[in-house]
Amino acid sequence: MRSYSPDISSVTDCERHAMALMSLGIDPYSGSPLNCITRITESFDGSQIGDKNLINDDVFAIFPLLKAGYSESDDIVYKAGLAIVAAQMNDGSWNSSIDMTSAAVAALSNVRTISGADAAISNARAYLVGKQAPDGGFGSVFSTAWVAQAVASLGEDASSWKGSAGKSIIDYLAEAQTDDGGFEQGASEGTRAWATSYVIPAISGRSWMSLLS
């Protein structure tokens, strides 16, 4: 990761690359060939980050920017937060997506002084609660892991989120684990590594922000 120069095609790719670097303790400015933070800030148009038709680039900017030293009082973070709040749908979701809603909750939980953030989080939480299946999951290992990290960002315990059958998020993930310790039996090795990587911080009760340095 210190020497790799990725072919970044979107701001969101750059943001997630920055998160990967920071989770390894690598400086996102100068620790690798790509200056991720500057690339993110250069995409800010004064009201939102990256593609004005997308919200995920605003959501995923919050994590690395805050860990890189920006704060809610900085215009780029404040405006990105406002853009996230404004994009919420009437049902409390973002894009009618469990994954995107979980990510937005995880982001907004770090900028709660931004106008409308608390109400947006509350509505999103209600949306996610309504989507939990009786088995405790949210349709897939991937989505369930994302919800677990949103739950962690709210300071809640994923084992307390239970479906109508009394099974929790953690129960669902435990039952989805295969004998070799991984997830997504029968999928490609890449997909299995991807799924397992999502689950590790989820079952550890770690939010995305807590993994970055």
Side-chain angles (χ1 to χ4, degrees):
M1 291 292 285
R2 292 186 187 278
S3 61
Y4 178 55
S5 183
D7 181 16
I8 297 294
S9 60
S10 70
V11 178
T12 310
D13 287 344
C14 192
E15 292 160 352
R16 291 189 284 208
H17 188 68
M19 291 171 68
L21 291 172
M22 297 171 93
S23 71
L24 294 169
I26 299 173
D27 188 328
Y29 286 101
S30 60
S32 77
L34 176 66
N35 182 332
C36 294
I37 303 302
T38 298
R39 176 76 176 270
I40 295 167
T41 58
E42 287 176 345
S43 73
F44 178 55
D45 66 6
S47 61
Q48 59 86 50
I49 294 170
D51 190 331
K52 65 180 180 180
N53 296 312
L54 299 176
I55 197 61
N56 57 340
D57 42 19
D58 296 282
V59 167
F60 283 99
I62 296 292
F63 308 106
L65 288 177
L66 289 179
K67 280 293 184 177
Y70 287 83
S71 72
E72 295 170 64
S73 62
D74 287 304
D75 200 44
I76 186 172
V77 174
Y78 187 78
K79 294 291 180 61
L82 289 179
I84 296 168
V85 170
Q88 188 175 36
M89 300 177 70
N90 291 334
D91 64 359
S93 76
W94 278 266
N95 299 344
S96 298
S97 164
I98 290 171
D99 293 13
M100 197 67 251
T101 302
S102 298
V105 167
L108 290 178
S109 67
N110 297 287
V111 291
R112 299 187 78 134
T113 63
I114 290 176
S115 178
D118 270 339
I121 290 170
S122 179
N123 292 335
R125 186 186 185 283
Y127 170 83
L128 291 173
V129 167
K131 292 297 182 180
Q132 189 170 20
D135 61 8
F138 290 81
S140 72
V141 166
F142 296 99
S143 293
T144 304
W146 281 47
V147 173
Q149 290 194 273
V151 170
S153 74
L154 296 175
E156 300 180 29
D157 188 338
S159 64
S160 69
W161 277 50
K162 297 182 178 180
S164 59
K167 292 188 175 183
S168 71
I169 290 174
I170 303 302
D171 292 328
Y172 172 86
L173 293 174
E175 291 177 7
Q177 190 173 33
T178 57
D179 290 341
D180 64 359
F183 292 81
E184 297 294 302
Q185 185 71 48
S188 68
E189 285 301 306
T191 298
R192 298 201 71 214
W194 182 20
T196 307
S197 297
Y198 276 13
V199 171
I200 290 171
I203 61 175
S204 301
R206 300 289 300 276
S207 67
W208 279 326
M209 280 295 285
S210 75
L211 297 170
L212 307 186
S213 62

